[in-house]
Amino acid sequence: MQQQAISLLSLNELIKRTLDSNLSPTYWVIAEIGELRAGVRGHAYLDLIEKVDGNILAKIRGNIWSYTYQSISRNFESVTGTSLQGGMNIMALVTVQFHELYGISLVIKDVDPNFTLGERARKRQEIIGRLTNEGLMDLNKQYVLPVVSQKIAIISSITAAGYGDFINQLDQNSQEYKVHYRLFQAAMQGKDAIPQIIEAIHQIEEALIEENFDLLVIIRGGGAQTDLDCFDDYELAKTIANSSLPIITGIGHERDESIADLVAHTKLKTPTAVASFILSGFREFEDRLHRNLVGIERYVQTRLKTEESGLTDKTHILFNIFQNKLNKNNLLLDRYAQQAKRSALYKIDKERIKSDHLAQNLRKVVTRKLNKSEERIQQIEKTIDRLNPETLLLRGYTKTEKNGLPIHGQDLAKGDELVTYTKLTKITSVINKLEKNEKQEG
Amino acid sequence: MKNKKDNLSYDEAISRLENLVNQLEEGEQGMDDLTKMVKEASDLVKVCKQKLKMTADEIKKAFDEE
């Protein structure tokens, strides 16, 4: 049987009428946003899909008219902190629309952000659970951060404002610390972010053979607080956890920590916070050096003082010892001197007594001799006196001479002339008679 | 003559004196010589006495100075 053919337009009008009469005006649909494109007049065009194990089981075009899109976006972002984008599971209030020229599509009237929020939280919790089970959550935290990180590998986008801030802060630090760094570029948002960041981490691992990086930093910032879902990705988190370097994140978002933050060694809010953290390591090290130097200086000063005072004490002790010795020796010398003096005086006294004795003896001898001499002289004087003719003459004796010599001892004869001396006269006589003197005989 | 006597030492003086005394003892001289000798001996006695006195004074002085 041959059916009567109708025009395409008639068919499409039939489909439209059938749909309009059979479908409810609106449905709440759960689907994933396959792709979202912004249109010229502010409308948004998107594909809604449903996947199981990566296979797309259902797909339909959709659009959000400009006015509705503004309202939905505002509400969605305010609740979820992120914008509507591809790969996101949403629950949308839709109206099925069929257009004779453009075919079937969905007009999205509203999107429930709480569903996405819950969905994301569930997904996030699932990833965290998996990472925990695989022992990846704290793997990177096992590295000990270098005290001073001088060589840093950076993963960021060269155009990102956060990167510029980070570099400026490192290069223009007031202490003039020199920090070496090398940028490994990667998109930090959007669908390319995950593979590019993972690739950058691999590049750094390879570069480690030649360059000894101390640290890896993943920074992003200054942009909108949207498009951060990439940092909740399992593969990225796994790569971060397995890195050979400790990783610091400075992803720059205000909401809950991303999974990348959780698995990284240290998470900081912004790139400038990361730069400050790195520089603070330098500062702390320098402070510690300074403190050690001060400590050493203080110790040396104290030690010097102790030694100096010890030396002074020893000098005093030594001085006292010498002084005592000196005093003792002085006393000894004094004693010797006294002894010597006493001995000398004793000897002198002895000699004096001896000499006195000798002197007395001498005096005695001399006096005796003198007396003897005097006696002799007196004797002589007496003898002279006795022999003095004057004395004899005075006493009435006379002296007779013959030829000028005493008559005794001369031969006398009659007629000899004699001279006789008296006190007052000289008598010349002649011998008349010679007789013997009877009185003198016998 | 007087000077000569003064210049004599005590020993010379006493020796001369003793010589004179011996001569006088022998009594071999005439009256004039005898008188001269007595005179000389008396002088010598004076000289000797003077010298002894001086010596005694000096000894006294010397010992008492100590």
Side-chain angles (χ1 to χ4, degrees):
Chain A
M1 170 179 95
Q2 193 176 6
Q3 256 186 328
Q4 192 185 349
I6 56 169
S7 71
L8 181 61
L9 180 62
S10 301
L11 177 64
N12 279 0
E13 282 170 350
L14 177 64
I15 294 170
K16 188 177 164 53
R17 274 199 305 277
T18 309
L19 286 174
D20 286 345
S21 59
N22 285 292
L23 293 177
S24 300
T26 56
Y27 293 94
W28 281 105
V29 177
I30 293 169
E32 182 182 326
I33 297 171
E35 194 181 355
L36 180 74
R37 298 175 306 278
V40 280
R41 292 193 188 90
H43 308 307
Y45 302 97
L46 67 162
D47 287 332
L48 289 179
I49 56 173
E50 184 169 346
K51 281 195 288 193
V52 172
D53 299 332
N55 297 318
I56 298 171
L57 302 181
K59 181 173 177 178
I60 194 164
R61 282 186 294 116
N63 56 54
I64 312 170
W65 303 128
S66 174
Y67 183 76
T68 317
Y69 184 50
Q70 281 176 34
S71 155
I72 289 173
S73 286
R74 210 170 27 246
N75 185 35
F76 191 84
E77 280 188 35
S78 77
V79 175
T80 65
T82 183
S83 59
L84 283 168
Q85 53 195 281
M88 195 175 266
N89 280 325
I90 57 169
M91 186 164 82
L93 183 66
V94 299
T95 302
V96 181
Q97 171 190 275
F98 187 83
H99 190 276
E100 295 82 347
L101 182 59
Y102 304 111
I104 195 162
S105 66
L106 301 177
V107 175
I108 296 168
K109 305 269 188 191
D110 198 2
V111 173
D112 182 358
N114 289 318
F115 172 81
T116 306
L117 208 58
E119 184 64 10
R120 194 164 63 192
R122 186 191 56 75
K123 199 171 161 191
R124 180 185 150 92
Q125 212 45 55
E126 190 182 293
I127 291 171
I128 289 171
R130 188 174 167 193
L131 290 168
T132 307
N133 288 339
E134 291 168 0
L136 297 174
M137 283 303 284
D138 294 326
L139 195 59
N140 196 255
K141 292 183 181 66
Q142 287 169 7
Y143 291 115
V144 176
L145 278 184
V147 179
V148 176
S149 305
Q150 284 179 296
K151 292 199 79 179
I152 295 161
I154 306 167
I155 296 177
S156 189
S157 163
I158 197 160
T159 54
Y163 173 71
D165 295 344
F166 179 79
I167 295 308
N168 282 342
Q169 195 156 346
L170 281 192
D171 286 346
Q172 286 158 21
N173 67 83
S174 55
Q175 286 91 356
E176 296 183 350
Y177 298 132
K178 181 70 192 157
V179 188
H180 302 275
Y181 53 83
R182 183 172 153 197
L183 174 68
F184 292 81
Q185 276 223 68
M188 298 308 284
Q189 59 186 42
K191 60 177 169 37
D192 295 332
I194 294 167
Q196 285 188 12
I197 293 171
I198 291 172
E199 175 55 23
I201 293 172
H202 291 322
Q203 280 174 15
I204 290 165
E205 295 284 342
E206 281 166 25
L208 269 180
I209 299 163
E210 289 176 356
E211 288 181 76
N212 291 321
F213 291 117
D214 297 317
L215 201 63
L216 196 169
V217 300
I218 300 175
I219 49 172
R220 174 202 175 277
Q225 295 299 311
T226 56
D227 302 325
L228 286 162
D229 284 351
C230 59
F231 293 103
D232 283 334
D233 182 69
Y234 167 77
E235 289 301 328
L236 178 59
K238 187 179 168 186
T239 312
I240 288 172
N242 283 313
S243 166
S244 310
L245 288 172
I247 294 181
I248 299 180
T249 55
I251 295 168
H253 50 98
E254 299 296 332
R255 67 168 176 87
D256 294 342
E257 297 153 330
S258 67
I259 292 176
D261 286 329
L262 292 175
V263 292
H265 184 286
T266 301
K267 59 163 193 304
L268 294 163
K269 283 201 166 166
T270 59
T272 49
V274 178
S276 296
F277 179 78
I278 290 167
L279 291 173
S280 74
F282 280 75
R283 254 192 307 277
E284 269 172 35
F285 185 72
E286 194 180 8
D287 286 351
R288 207 163 74 204
L289 271 182
H290 184 69
R291 279 200 301 278
N292 284 340
L293 276 177
V294 169
I296 289 168
E297 196 185 336
R298 210 171 286 151
Y299 171 78
V300 167
Q301 287 295 344
T302 312
R303 188 67 193 267
L304 275 177
K305 266 183 198 156
T306 311
E307 292 297 323
E308 200 178 312
S309 93
L311 219 56
T312 310
D313 289 351
K314 283 191 179 79
T315 309
H316 281 149
I317 290 167
L318 219 58
F319 181 77
N320 286 338
I321 290 170
F322 281 135
Q323 195 64 47
N324 282 341
K325 201 116 183 168
L326 211 63
N327 289 343
K328 262 186 197 165
N329 283 343
N330 275 339
L331 284 174
L332 215 62
L333 275 179
D334 282 350
R335 207 150 63 211
Y336 287 155
Q338 293 287 352
Q339 271 177 8
K341 191 176 167 185
R342 267 204 303 278
S343 302
L345 285 175
Y346 176 71
K347 196 114 183 170
I348 287 167
D349 279 348
K350 218 164 139 188
E351 289 300 318
R352 186 183 287 135
I353 289 163
K354 206 164 144 188
S355 69
D356 281 354
H357 193 64
L358 280 175
Q360 276 181 0
N361 283 352
L362 185 65
R363 195 170 187 169
K364 264 185 213 161
V365 169
V366 170
T367 307
R368 197 155 58 224
K369 191 152 184 177
L370 207 61
N371 290 341
K372 219 168 154 189
S373 297
E374 276 173 0
E375 278 168 19
R376 176 88 181 111
I377 292 290
Q378 280 170 5
Q379 213 176 357
I380 288 170
E381 208 173 7
K382 275 181 190 165
T383 307
I384 291 167
D385 196 37
R386 180 170 52 83
L387 294 174
N388 190 346
E390 292 290 322
T391 317
L392 291 170
L393 294 180
L394 268 177
R395 282 156 67 187
Y397 293 102
T398 61
K399 184 173 169 56
T400 306
E401 297 173 353
K402 182 187 145 184
N403 298 327
L405 291 170
I407 57 170
H408 65 272
Q410 290 195 66
D411 292 332
L412 297 172
K414 197 178 171 182
D416 287 352
E417 194 182 80
L418 301 172
V419 177
T420 303
Y421 294 90
T422 71
K423 172 68 181 163
L424 297 171
T425 54
K426 179 183 174 185
I427 305 162
T428 307
S429 62
V430 177
I431 301 170
N432 288 329
K433 190 180 169 184
L434 279 168
E435 288 173 78
K436 282 193 186 269
N437 188 350
E438 299 292 335
K439 289 173 187 173
Q440 295 295 315
E441 267 186 330
Chain B
M1 198 62 181
K2 196 178 179 183
N3 278 345
K4 198 183 167 190
K5 250 181 258 167
D6 286 347
N7 289 338
L8 286 174
S9 71
Y10 177 80
D11 286 340
E12 285 169 343
I14 198 91
S15 175
R16 170 79 184 138
L17 193 56
E18 279 175 345
N19 198 17
L20 279 173
V21 170
N22 286 339
Q23 284 182 38
L24 286 172
E25 292 275 21
E26 283 168 12
E28 301 291 332
Q29 300 85 2
M31 191 61 188
D32 290 338
D33 288 343
L34 201 62
T35 306
K36 276 183 203 163
M37 282 165 73
V38 167
K39 175 77 170 75
E40 191 186 347
S42 297
D43 287 347
L44 283 170
V45 164
K46 274 182 200 157
V47 168
C48 284
K49 274 189 165 178
Q50 202 180 353
K51 282 192 184 289
L52 280 177
K53 189 176 181 299
M54 268 169 67
T55 307
D57 284 351
E58 270 178 28
I59 287 167
K60 189 175 185 298
K61 205 172 146 195
F63 281 110
D64 291 348
E65 263 180 2
E66 281 178 16

